[in-house]
Amino acid sequence: MRTSLSLSLAVLAFSAFTAAAQSAPKPSAANAHPAKTHAAAPLTIAPTPPMGWNSWNFFHRNVTDKDIRAAADQLVSTGMKDAGYIYVNIDDTWEGERDSIGVLHTNDKFPDMKALADYVHSKGLKIGIYSGPGAKTCGGYAASLDHEAQDANMYASWGIDYLKYDLCSFRKDVMAAKAPDDKAEQMRLMVAAYDKMGKALKATGRPIVYSLCQYGWDAPWEWAPALGGNLWRTTGDVRPDWMSIVDIINQNAGLAKYAGPGHWNDPDMLEVGNGKLSLAENRAHFSMWAILAAPLLAGNDLPNMKPEIKTILTNKDVIAIDQDKLGHQGTRAYVDGEVEVWTRHLSGGAMAIAVLNVGSDRVATHPFHLSLAKLGLKGPEACKDLWTGKDVTLTDNQSIELPSHDILLVKIASPK
Ligand code: GLA
């Protein structure tokens, strides 16, 4: 990590005030007597943000059965499965034609979906698939309009564990066709379509993660959880370039209160290892997705993954931030010029701090000064730098040299 902290070895002072106390749930009559309460049923679907791999960001339209099997193999052999990447998700372009009784067949690239699902399951992984509420997917393949229950049942019969449901042609086929001049009615039609598939999935009796992909239209964070959505895209499509990553981070500031166990804001799949993202940019992207409690769906070329990309994707400390069981999404504490400071409250009273240098020309000769006071902390704070693995101490007004597009990500186990 190129971040250089002027480390203080000062003896840590104690303070009555702790951020942990601020964020920790207050004891209530109910949890004071746990034996007398009825424990809520444990969440079986997405209790933490789903982790896995999706075919779209690298393969786009070219993905085949062979690529999905190879991805499953690689998740196991690279240690990514052990790090938590469980879902192997087939995105668009697996679909063939519907037959005379409405059954949707696969195309030539996917000769036997049940056999493919069995293969993925045999590796101890889960498998996801893709469709949409319109007549066509974004890639122009057959989608689920008027066949929702039939498709959901077919997915369940194949053993599918995850569905990404992408709005695409529903906008033209239904929203614009039925309510050309009524935007509010268009949105009601869209919500009803997602509700319909949510109910169809539930009716199968199989636990299937339900991922809404409608680019954040009409604030899905407000209505998607009620219809069974486990995650919902908050923005348009991510691209493997810095401006796209920053744009998406900005659009997710303010959405923290809508995320929690079983229902997550989705800033889109990971581009780590794709395009021309630098190592710093890959690190910053992955760190910020962890701060945002985002689903971590890698989208890179797993068989040809470079070691430094594997190191990023399998950083257990960063993944632990993302997967923290409290499920409190991080928030942007403050912005100072081109530097953003984000915090995330974690279980056990711990806290993550991310200092992100968004700017392209703010270089290390102008160190940024971190205000702990603005984070509700007094310091000095004993932290672990999650990219170097080293123990560091943060003091108020700490000078931090952060290269352009890089990030400092630390965890404080016991904030003061
Ligand atoms: C949309 C989605 C992408 C991907 C493509 C597939 O653009 O947002 O994530 O699924 O469709 O066609």
Side-chain angles (χ1 to χ4, degrees), residues 57 238-249 269-287 289 298-300 306 308-309 312-313 356 358 404-406:
N57 284 355
V238 67
R239 296 183 317 274
D241 68 66
W242 182 246
M243 285 325 294
S244 167
I245 305 293
V246 170
D247 188 32
I248 288 180
I249 292 169
M269 303 171 295
L270 294 166
E271 292 282 18
V272 174
N274 287 341
K276 292 200 169 104
L277 289 174
S278 69
L279 264 192
E281 290 169 344
N282 278 310
R283 235 185 343 255
H285 169 25
F286 194 63
S287 304
W289 262 231
N300 59 325
K306 293 193 174 124
E308 58 272 26
I309 296 301
I312 291 175
L313 287 171
L356 175 67
V358 171
S404 181
H405 302 181
D406 210 340

Side-chain angles (χ1 to χ4, degrees), residues 63-302:
V63 67
T64 65
D65 172 289
K66 191 164 153 271
D67 298 323
I68 297 297
R69 286 171 193 256
D73 294 345
Q74 292 294 317
L75 287 180
V76 175
S77 66
T78 57
M80 286 178 71
K81 177 191 165 199
D82 290 341
Y85 295 86
I86 292 299
Y87 290 96
V88 183
N89 291 352
I90 307 164
D91 208 277
D92 201 357
T93 78
W94 62 268
E95 311 87 341
E97 302 295 327
R98 287 193 191 277
D99 65 19
S100 58
I101 54 165
V103 175
L104 179 59
H105 294 267
T106 54
N107 62 40
D108 291 349
K109 298 191 296 150
F110 289 88
D112 186 340
M113 199 60 92
K114 175 79 173 74
L116 179 55
D118 290 347
Y119 182 80
V120 171
H121 288 148
S122 76
K123 303 273 163 186
L125 298 164
K126 296 181 184 237
I127 186 163
I129 210 160
Y130 168 99
S131 188
K136 298 280 183 202
T137 66
C138 291
Y141 289 74
S144 296
L145 183 63
D146 297 331
H147 295 275
E148 293 82 0
Q150 192 171 23
D151 286 358
N153 288 330
M154 182 173 69
Y155 304 148
S157 75
W158 286 339
I160 296 293
D161 305 295
Y162 186 119
L163 173 68
K164 172 174 168 183
Y165 206 50
D166 194 348
L167 189 63
C168 268
S169 87
F170 188 83
R171 290 172 291 192
K172 178 166 77 55
D173 301 340
V174 178
M175 291 160 71
K178 285 200 175 161
D181 304 313
D182 187 345
K183 193 91 180 161
E185 177 59 12
Q186 289 189 8
M187 295 301 168
R188 282 192 286 276
L189 289 164
M190 175 182 72
V191 174
Y194 278 94
D195 191 29
K196 194 170 189 181
M197 183 49 99
K199 289 195 167 90
L201 292 175
K202 198 164 178 213
T204 68
R206 183 175 176 84
I208 298 175
V209 173
Y210 188 26
S211 159
L212 278 66
C213 176
Q214 40 78 274
Y215 337 116
W217 284 21
D218 207 25
W221 40 89
E222 290 181 0
W223 48 265
L227 50 83
N230 300 112
L231 58 151
W232 49 86
R233 279 272 296 278
T234 52
T235 70
D237 288 13
V238 67
R239 296 183 317 274
D241 68 66
W242 182 246
M243 285 325 294
S244 167
I245 305 293
V246 170
D247 188 32
I248 288 180
I249 292 169
N250 285 332
Q251 290 184 64
N252 281 271
L255 299 183
K257 72 173 183 180
Y258 299 101
H263 52 98
W264 307 102
N265 291 307
D266 175 12
D268 207 355
M269 303 171 295
L270 294 166
E271 292 282 18
V272 174
N274 287 341
K276 292 200 169 104
L277 289 174
S278 69
L279 264 192
E281 290 169 344
N282 278 310
R283 235 185 343 255
H285 169 25
F286 194 63
S287 304
M288 286 308 301
W289 262 231
I291 289 283
L292 292 171
L296 296 181
L297 295 168
N300 59 325
D301 179 11
L302 292 178

